[in-house]
Amino acid sequence: GDSVTQMEGPVTLSEEAFLTINCTYTATGYPSLFWYVQYPGEGLQLLLKATKADDKGSNKGFEATYRKETTSFHLEKGSVQVSDSAVYFCALSESSSNFGNEKLTFGTGTRLTIIP
Amino acid sequence: NAGVTQTPKFRVLKTGQSMTLLCAQDMNHEYMYWYRQDPGMGLRLIHYSVGEGTTAKGEVPDGYNVSRLKKQNFLLGLESAAPSQTSVYFCASCRLAGGPEQFFGPGTRLTVL
């Protein structure tokens, strides 16, 4: 079945450092890929997404590129801020022509802490 | 527009007690989902619904039941709570033909003693 493997945390960085959180996936078809972010005490929010190979998703300075050849969707940000401290989840949804199958498979999450 | 709301936010149960978690969405979404979040395990799908009156099992359905009597509401029931059901529960919804992006509620933290 489908699966998502992401970098184990926790990750602690200094403000303005470069961030990479690795994510690789296994899927039988052509999935859509997502990064969700969970701030303390809140639910998950979509951060960015990519629906086909070579697509780059971006939002709030974060980027991730859908790499089919390496089955990866690594999250990057050039200069992190304290406000980026959160848990980040990589997820995939199998593409299906049969609507009703939009289920997400999540990675285990990576806790990121940014220190001033 | 409140999005996805969950009731209650916190609950403590004793083993064997029952309870119902309520999820409501005001975005007219067709699909709704219940997940549980446990440390080191990410989110796991319990049950989901593709429309009013329909439900289906997810990855970890045992010990839970659900109902979707109205399009905007999705209820998760625990008939006889067990300590293994201590978790944070998230509800999500998704729009038909809107792509697989899901919108999440704030969560319910449940402790079973």
Side-chain angles (χ1 to χ4, degrees), chain A residues 32 34 36 38 41-46 49 87 89 93 99-104 106-109, chain B residues 31 33 35 37 40-43 45 48 50 90 94 96-106:
Chain A
S32 295
F34 306 83
Y36 278 82
Q38 184 181 26
E42 299 183 9
L44 280 71
Q45 303 173 25
L46 180 67
K49 66 180 179 183
V87 181
F89 291 92
S93 177
F99 280 112
N101 198 32
E102 271 74 6
K103 291 179 285 184
L104 289 171
F106 286 89
T108 55
Chain B
Y31 303 153
Y33 309 82
Y35 294 91
Q37 182 182 30
M41 302 191 75
L43 275 75
L45 183 64
Y48 65 102
V50 302
F90 288 100
C94 176
L96 177 67
E101 176 185 348
Q102 294 183 13
F103 294 82
F104 283 79

Side-chain angles (χ1 to χ4, degrees), chain A residues 5-113:
Chain A
T5 302
Q6 64 180 102
M7 178 176 173
E8 286 195 21
V11 174
T12 302
L13 294 173
S14 297
E15 206 166 20
E16 299 184 4
F18 184 86
L19 169 70
T20 300
I21 300 178
N22 290 338
C23 172
T24 57
Y25 68 90
T26 302
T28 53
Y30 302 94
S32 295
L33 301 174
F34 306 83
W35 277 101
Y36 278 82
V37 58
Q38 184 181 26
Y39 298 104
E42 299 183 9
L44 280 71
Q45 303 173 25
L46 180 67
L47 180 60
L48 53 85
K49 66 180 179 183
T51 57
K52 60 183 188 297
D54 299 326
D55 269 2
K56 178 186 283 189
S58 61
N59 186 25
K60 298 182 180 180
F62 291 90
E63 293 183 340
T65 301
Y66 189 146
R67 302 284 188 202
K68 190 168 184 289
E69 63 277 12
T70 55
T71 62
S72 64
F73 193 55
H74 304 321
L75 182 68
E76 297 182 336
K77 186 175 185 183
S79 177
V80 293
Q81 306 300 314
V82 172
S83 57
D84 294 327
S85 297
V87 181
Y88 292 81
F89 291 92
C90 186
L92 70 81
S93 177
E94 270 288 11
S95 176
S96 172
S97 61
N98 177 24
F99 280 112
N101 198 32
E102 271 74 6
K103 291 179 285 184
L104 289 171
T105 300
F106 286 89
T108 55
T110 302
R111 181 175 299 277
L112 173 68
T113 301

